Amino acid sequence: RADELKIKELNLQIEKLTKEVIESKARLENEATETQARQIELDRTAEEFRALHADRQKLVQQWQDTIEAMRRRDGTIQELATQYAEERRKHSEK
């Protein structure tokens, strides 16, 4: 009698533990799926960031190129203004 009771008790414990294992596996699988989804989302966000950063770098480079071109033009304009002033001075002396 005591052995049968112990066997029944152990079987109930096995069933309970088996159920807990199944539930734990299901939770683990759900967590793994959610983690995978979050990783995909994070990868997409990182890719978007890299693309936006590259675009920003291109814009900064264009801006710097534009400023450099304006400096060169300013230098050319200054040179031409000096030449013009010199030519006017020469003509006014004649």
Side-chain angles (χ1 to χ4, degrees):
R1 274 299 228 175
D3 287 344
E4 287 177 18
L5 187 60
K6 187 67 174 172
I7 289 173
K8 188 173 182 179
E9 206 175 277
L10 289 172
N11 280 336
L12 286 174
Q13 191 174 7
I14 287 172
E15 285 179 31
K16 180 182 173 189
L17 291 173
T18 301
K19 184 178 176 183
E20 286 179 15
V21 166
I22 291 170
E23 289 171 354
S24 292
K25 282 183 180 180
R27 282 195 308 272
L28 179 61
E29 190 174 316
N30 287 339
E31 285 292 325
T33 301
E34 189 173 325
T35 300
Q36 199 172 27
R38 296 282 187 244
Q39 184 63 48
I40 290 168
E41 188 177 328
L42 183 60
D43 291 344
R44 281 189 196 137
T45 302
E47 186 58 38
E48 287 177 25
F49 175 80
R50 282 190 288 274
L52 289 171
H53 183 69
D55 288 346
R56 181 182 173 276
Q57 290 297 95
K58 287 178 187 175
L59 287 173
V60 168
Q61 187 60 51
Q62 286 177 346
W63 179 70
Q64 290 174 338
D65 292 345
T66 300
I67 289 173
E68 184 56 36
M70 289 171 65
R71 283 187 185 134
R72 285 192 306 269
R73 282 187 213 137
D74 286 348
T76 302
I77 289 170
Q78 187 61 41
E79 287 175 20
L80 291 173
T82 303
Q83 288 175 9
Y84 178 75
E86 183 64 27
E87 290 298 320
R88 282 193 69 178
R89 188 187 59 77
K90 286 179 184 176
H91 283 334
S92 65
E93 288 178 357
K94 291 183 179 182

